[in-house]
Coordinates of all heavy atoms in Angstrom, one line a residue:
N1338 N -2.1 11.5 -7.4 CA -2.6 12.3 -6.3 C -2.3 11.6 -4.9 O -2.8 10.5 -4.7 CB -4.2 12.3 -6.5 CG -4.8 13.1 -5.3 OD1 -4.2 13.6 -4.4 ND2 -6.2 13.3 -5.4
P1339 N -1.6 12.2 -4.1 CA -0.9 13.5 -4.2 C 0.2 13.5 -5.3 O 0.7 12.4 -5.6 CB -0.3 13.8 -2.8 CG -0.2 12.5 -2.2 CD -1.3 11.6 -2.7
P1340 N 0.6 14.6 -5.8 CA 1.5 14.7 -6.9 C 3.0 14.3 -6.5 O 3.3 14.4 -5.4 CB 1.4 16.1 -7.4 CG 1.1 16.9 -6.2 CD 0.2 16.0 -5.3
L1341 N 3.7 13.9 -7.5 CA 5.2 13.8 -7.3 C 5.7 15.2 -6.9 O 5.3 16.2 -7.4 CB 5.9 13.4 -8.6 CG 5.4 12.0 -9.2 CD1 6.1 11.7 -10.5 CD2 5.5 10.9 -8.2
R1342 N 6.5 15.2 -5.9 CA 7.0 16.5 -5.3 C 8.5 16.7 -5.7 O 9.0 16.2 -6.7 CB 6.8 16.4 -3.8 CG 5.4 16.1 -3.3 CD 4.5 17.3 -3.3 NE 3.2 17.0 -2.7 CZ 2.1 17.8 -2.8 NH1 2.2 19.0 -3.4 NH2 1.0 17.5 -2.2
T1343 N 9.2 17.4 -4.8 CA 10.6 17.9 -5.1 C 11.6 16.9 -4.5 O 11.2 16.1 -3.6 CB 10.8 19.3 -4.6 OG1 10.7 19.2 -3.1 CG2 9.8 20.3 -5.1
R1344 N 12.8 17.1 -4.8 CA 13.9 16.3 -4.2 C 13.9 16.5 -2.7 O 14.2 15.6 -1.9 CB 15.3 16.8 -4.7 CG 15.7 16.2 -5.9 CD 17.0 16.7 -6.5 NE 17.0 16.4 -7.9 CZ 17.2 15.2 -8.4 NH1 17.4 14.2 -7.6 NH2 17.2 15.0 -9.7
D1345 N 13.7 17.7 -2.2 CA 13.7 18.0 -0.7 C 12.5 17.2 -0.1 O 12.7 16.7 1.0 CB 13.5 19.5 -0.5 CG 14.8 20.3 -0.8 OD1 15.8 19.6 -1.0 OD2 14.7 21.5 -0.8
D1346 N 11.4 17.1 -0.7 CA 10.3 16.4 -0.1 C 10.7 14.9 -0.1 O 10.4 14.2 0.9 CB 9.0 16.6 -1.0 CG 8.5 18.0 -0.9 OD1 8.2 18.5 0.2 OD2 8.3 18.6 -1.9
I1347 N 11.2 14.4 -1.2 CA 11.6 13.0 -1.2 C 12.6 12.7 -0.1 O 12.5 11.7 0.7 CB 12.3 12.7 -2.6 CG1 11.2 12.6 -3.7 CG2 13.1 11.4 -2.5 CD1 11.7 12.2 -5.0
A1348 N 13.6 13.6 0.1 CA 14.5 13.4 1.2 C 13.8 13.4 2.6 O 14.2 12.5 3.4 CB 15.6 14.5 1.2
A1349 N 12.8 14.2 2.8 CA 12.1 14.3 4.0 C 11.3 13.0 4.2 O 11.2 12.5 5.4 CB 11.2 15.5 4.1
V1350 N 10.6 12.5 3.2 CA 9.8 11.3 3.3 C 10.7 10.1 3.6 O 10.4 9.2 4.5 CB 9.0 11.0 2.1 CG1 8.2 9.7 2.1 CG2 7.9 12.2 1.8
R1351 N 11.9 10.0 2.9 CA 12.8 9.0 3.2 C 13.3 9.0 4.7 O 13.4 8.0 5.4 CB 14.0 9.1 2.3 CG 13.8 8.7 0.9 CD 15.1 8.9 0.1 NE 14.9 8.6 -1.3 CZ 15.8 8.9 -2.3 NH1 16.9 9.5 -1.9 NH2 15.6 8.6 -3.5
A1352 N 13.6 10.3 5.1 CA 14.0 10.4 6.5 C 12.9 10.0 7.5 O 13.2 9.4 8.5 CB 14.5 11.9 6.8
G1353 N 11.7 10.3 7.1 CA 10.5 9.9 7.9 C 10.4 8.4 8.0 O 10.1 7.8 9.1
L1354 N 10.7 7.7 6.9 CA 10.7 6.2 6.9 C 11.8 5.7 7.8 O 11.7 4.7 8.6 CB 10.8 5.7 5.5 CG 9.4 5.6 4.8 CD1 9.7 5.5 3.3 CD2 8.6 4.4 5.2
A1355 N 13.0 6.4 7.7 CA 14.2 5.9 8.4 C 14.0 6.0 9.9 O 14.5 5.2 10.6 CB 15.4 6.6 7.9
D1356 N 13.4 7.1 10.4 CA 13.3 7.3 11.8 C 12.0 6.8 12.4 O 11.7 7.0 13.6 CB 13.6 8.7 12.2 CG 12.5 9.7 11.8 OD1 11.3 9.3 11.4 OD2 12.7 10.9 12.0
G1357 N 11.1 6.2 11.5 CA 9.9 5.6 12.0 C 8.7 6.5 12.1 O 7.6 6.1 12.5
T1358 N 8.9 7.8 11.7 CA 7.8 8.7 11.7 C 6.7 8.2 10.7 O 5.5 8.2 11.0 CB 8.3 10.1 11.2 OG1 9.3 10.6 12.1 CG2 7.1 11.1 11.1
I1359 N 7.2 7.7 9.6 CA 6.3 7.1 8.7 C 6.4 5.6 8.9 O 7.5 5.0 8.8 CB 6.6 7.4 7.2 CG1 6.4 8.9 7.1 CG2 5.8 6.6 6.2 CD1 6.6 9.5 5.7
D1360 N 5.3 5.0 9.2 CA 5.2 3.5 9.7 C 5.4 2.6 8.5 O 6.0 1.5 8.6 CB 3.9 3.3 10.3 CG 3.7 4.2 11.5 OD1 3.2 5.3 11.3 OD2 4.0 3.8 12.6
A1361 N 4.7 2.9 7.4 CA 4.5 1.9 6.4 C 4.8 2.4 5.0 O 4.5 3.6 4.7 CB 3.1 1.3 6.4
L1362 N 5.2 1.5 4.1 CA 5.3 1.7 2.7 C 4.0 1.1 2.1 O 3.7 -0.1 2.3 CB 6.5 1.0 2.0 CG 7.8 1.8 2.0 CD1 8.9 0.8 1.6 CD2 7.7 2.9 1.0
A1363 N 3.2 1.9 1.4 CA 2.0 1.4 0.9 C 1.9 1.9 -0.6 O 2.3 3.0 -0.9 CB 0.8 2.0 1.6
T1364 N 1.5 1.0 -1.5 CA 1.7 1.4 -2.9 C 0.8 2.4 -3.5 O 1.1 3.1 -4.5 CB 1.6 0.1 -3.8 OG1 0.3 -0.4 -3.8 CG2 2.6 -1.0 -3.3
D1365 N -0.5 2.5 -3.0 CA -1.5 3.2 -3.7 C -1.6 2.8 -5.2 O -1.7 3.5 -6.1 CB -1.2 4.8 -3.7 CG -2.4 5.6 -4.1 OD1 -3.5 5.0 -4.4 OD2 -2.3 6.8 -4.2
H1366 N -1.4 1.4 -5.3 CA -1.6 0.8 -6.7 C -2.9 1.3 -7.3 O -4.0 0.9 -6.8 CB -1.6 -0.7 -6.4 CG -1.8 -1.5 -7.7 ND1 -0.7 -1.9 -8.5 CD2 -2.9 -2.2 -8.2 CE1 -1.2 -2.6 -9.5 NE2 -2.5 -2.8 -9.4
A1367 N -2.8 2.0 -8.4 CA -4.0 2.7 -9.0 C -4.0 2.4 -10.5 O -3.6 3.2 -11.3 CB -4.0 4.2 -8.7
P1368 N -4.5 1.2 -10.9 CA -4.6 0.9 -12.3 C -5.6 1.8 -13.0 O -6.7 2.1 -12.6 CB -5.1 -0.6 -12.3 CG -5.4 -0.9 -10.9 CD -5.1 0.2 -10.0
H1369 N -5.1 2.2 -14.2 CA -6.0 2.9 -15.1 C -5.8 2.4 -16.5 O -4.6 2.2 -16.9 CB -5.7 4.4 -15.1 CG -6.1 5.1 -13.8 ND1 -7.4 5.3 -13.5 CD2 -5.4 5.6 -12.8 CE1 -7.5 5.9 -12.3 NE2 -6.3 6.1 -11.9
E1370 N -6.9 2.3 -17.3 CA -6.8 1.8 -18.7 C -5.9 2.7 -19.5 O -5.9 4.0 -19.3 CB -8.2 1.9 -19.3 CG -9.0 0.6 -19.3 CD -10.2 0.8 -20.2 OE1 -10.9 1.8 -19.9 OE2 -10.3 0.1 -21.1
S1371 N -5.2 2.2 -20.4 CA -4.2 3.0 -21.2 C -4.9 4.2 -21.9 O -4.4 5.3 -21.9 CB -3.6 2.1 -22.3 OG -2.9 1.1 -21.7
A1372 N -6.1 4.0 -22.5 CA -6.8 5.0 -23.2 C -7.0 6.2 -22.3 O -6.9 7.4 -22.7 CB -8.1 4.6 -23.7
T1373 N -7.3 6.0 -21.0 CA -7.5 7.2 -20.1 C -6.2 7.9 -19.8 O -6.2 9.1 -19.7 CB -8.2 6.7 -18.8 OG1 -7.3 5.9 -18.0 CG2 -9.5 6.0 -19.1
K1374 N -5.1 7.1 -19.7 CA -3.8 7.7 -19.3 C -3.2 8.4 -20.5 O -2.2 9.1 -20.4 CB -2.9 6.6 -18.7 CG -3.1 6.4 -17.2 CD -2.8 7.7 -16.4 CE -2.3 7.4 -15.0 NZ -2.1 8.6 -14.3
E1375 N -3.7 8.1 -21.7 CA -3.1 8.7 -22.9 C -3.7 10.1 -23.2 O -3.3 10.8 -24.1 CB -3.3 7.8 -24.1 CG -2.2 6.7 -24.1 CD -2.6 5.4 -24.9 OE1 -3.6 5.5 -25.7 OE2 -1.9 4.4 -24.8
Q1376 N -4.7 10.4 -22.4 CA -5.3 11.8 -22.5 C -4.4 12.9 -22.1 O -3.4 12.6 -21.4 CB -6.6 11.8 -21.7 CG -7.7 10.9 -22.1 CD -8.8 11.0 -21.1 OE1 -9.8 11.6 -21.4 NE2 -8.7 10.3 -20.0
P1377 N -4.7 14.1 -22.4 CA -3.9 15.2 -21.9 C -3.9 15.2 -20.4 O -4.8 14.7 -19.7 CB -4.6 16.5 -22.5 CG -5.4 16.0 -23.6 CD -5.8 14.6 -23.3

Side-chain angles (χ1 to χ4, degrees):
N1338 178 1
L1341 302 178
R1342 305 276 187 191
T1343 65
R1344 273 179 202 288
D1345 288 348
D1346 292 306
I1347 286 183
V1350 175
R1351 288 178 182 169
L1354 277 160
D1356 73 9
T1358 299
I1359 296 184
D1360 302 85
L1362 272 168
T1364 65
D1365 194 3
H1366 178 82
H1369 289 288
E1370 264 192 305
S1371 299
T1373 65
K1374 276 299 209 180
E1375 280 157 12
Q1376 296 177 96

